[in-house]
């Protein structure tokens, strides 16, 4: 199937590794022009070089912290000027720290809201003038199954992710008239660097091994395994592509069936 992404102008934030990098790579393999972002420029450039080697299409890099309003605005401006417009925005950021309610003070809550919620507001606000000029505009927020079903020891994520879904759904209603589609993917446990660290810290806490912790996590998923970043990326790229052009306002769990909710 031709997804209709050749030459599309795409910004993927938080993309030096993990879900963001896999998504940027898939877009590039589909012939899109891609800008990737993260805070560490050196790592970002290595990721860009790796993608270019595979796809043969240019990938541009801009370092910046998307939780800071000025950095997010500068990033979008730089990306749109480099690409001469913007068709697709993938809103991604690192996850907030793990822990229970007693573990976090007011400052940590503020930082988590900046990182997980306000980064989406900043990036989308800055992108709208460009997306309104596009004939294939789409926004995708990367959230978590924590938005549907609280995950143990992820209090910040459980509390803040639903706000991003609320924003996503509201924007899908408000921006439909401008032909801008807005959707969210709720990843379940997916094999990225973040999950490698998570398994190590669970193993340290439970006096087990990362392999045992992985097996435990996989056992809670109906498909019996953890997802791959490529599976997430294939879904993200399809939803944002003209081939998925009637998908709007969706909050889609890509989790192997792990979410127990009916809807
Ligand atoms: N993997 C999963 O199982 C899973 C499940 C549910 C939800 N999620 C969520 O999906 C998102 C991506 O997860 P992942 O597994 O791909 O994480 P990851 O492997 O830790 O990668 C995070 C990426 O975000 C960048 N980043 C972090 N903070 C940033 C910031 N403030 N500004 C710009 N870039 C930033 C990092 O690069 P720098 O350090 O260079 O900035 C890195 O490229 C996270 O929000 C995570 O919580 C993941």
């Amino acid at each position: 199937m031709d997804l209709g992404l050749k030459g599309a102008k795409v910004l993927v934030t938080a993309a030096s590794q993990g879900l963001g990098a896999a998504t940027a790579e898939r877009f590039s393999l589909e012939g899109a022009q891609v800008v990737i972002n993260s805070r560490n420029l050196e790592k970002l450039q290595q990721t860009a070089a790796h993608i270019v080697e595979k796809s043969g299409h240019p990938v541009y890099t801009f370092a910046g912290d998307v939780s800071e309003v000025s950095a997010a605005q500068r990033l979008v401006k730089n990306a749109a000027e480099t690409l001469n417009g913007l068709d697709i925005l993938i809103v991604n950021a690192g996850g907030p720290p793990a822990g229970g309610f007693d573990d976090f003070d007011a400052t940590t809550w503020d930082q988590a809201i900046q990182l997980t919620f306000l980064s989406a507001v900043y990036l989308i606000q800055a992108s709208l003038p460009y997306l309104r000029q596009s004939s294939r505009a789409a926004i995708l927020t990367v959230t978590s199954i924590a938005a549907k079903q609280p995950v143990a020891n992820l209090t910040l994520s459980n509390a803040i992710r639903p706000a991003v879904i609320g924003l996503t759904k509201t924007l899908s209603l408000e921006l439909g008239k401008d032909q801008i589609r807005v959707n969210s993917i709720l990843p379940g446990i997916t094999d990225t660097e973040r999950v490698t660290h998570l398994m190590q810290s669970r193993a340290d806490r439970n006096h087990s091994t990362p392999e045992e912790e992985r097996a435990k996590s996989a056992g809670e998923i109906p498909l019996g395994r953890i997802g791959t970043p490529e599976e997430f990326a294939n879904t993200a790229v399809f939803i944002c592509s003209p081939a998925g052009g009637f998908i709007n306002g969706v909050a889609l769990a890509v989790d192997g069936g792990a979410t127990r909710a009916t809807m």
Side-chain angles (χ1 to χ4, degrees), residues 46-120:
Q46 285 168 8
T47 302
H50 171 78
I51 297 174
V52 171
E53 199 179 304
K54 283 182 128 178
S55 73
H57 296 289
V59 175
Y60 307 94
T61 56
F62 288 104
D65 183 338
V66 296
S67 70
E68 292 173 8
V69 63
S70 56
Q73 289 169 340
R74 200 165 48 244
L75 166 64
V76 171
K77 188 168 184 286
N78 284 336
E81 284 177 1
T82 301
L83 300 174
N84 196 25
L86 190 64
D87 298 310
I88 295 170
L89 170 68
I90 307 296
V91 177
N92 187 33
F101 187 75
D102 284 336
D103 295 325
F104 304 119
D105 60 13
T107 306
T108 313
W109 274 95
D110 279 346
Q111 288 167 346
I113 291 167
Q114 295 275 340
L115 175 69
T116 303
F117 178 69
L118 288 174
S119 63

Side-chain angles (χ1 to χ4, degrees), residues 14 16-17 19 38-40 65-66 92-93 95 161 187 190 192 195:
S16 64
Q17 64 180 37
L19 304 181
S38 78
R39 293 164 303 178
N40 179 332
D65 183 338
V66 296
N92 187 33
R161 302 277 190 197
T190 312
T192 65
V195 166

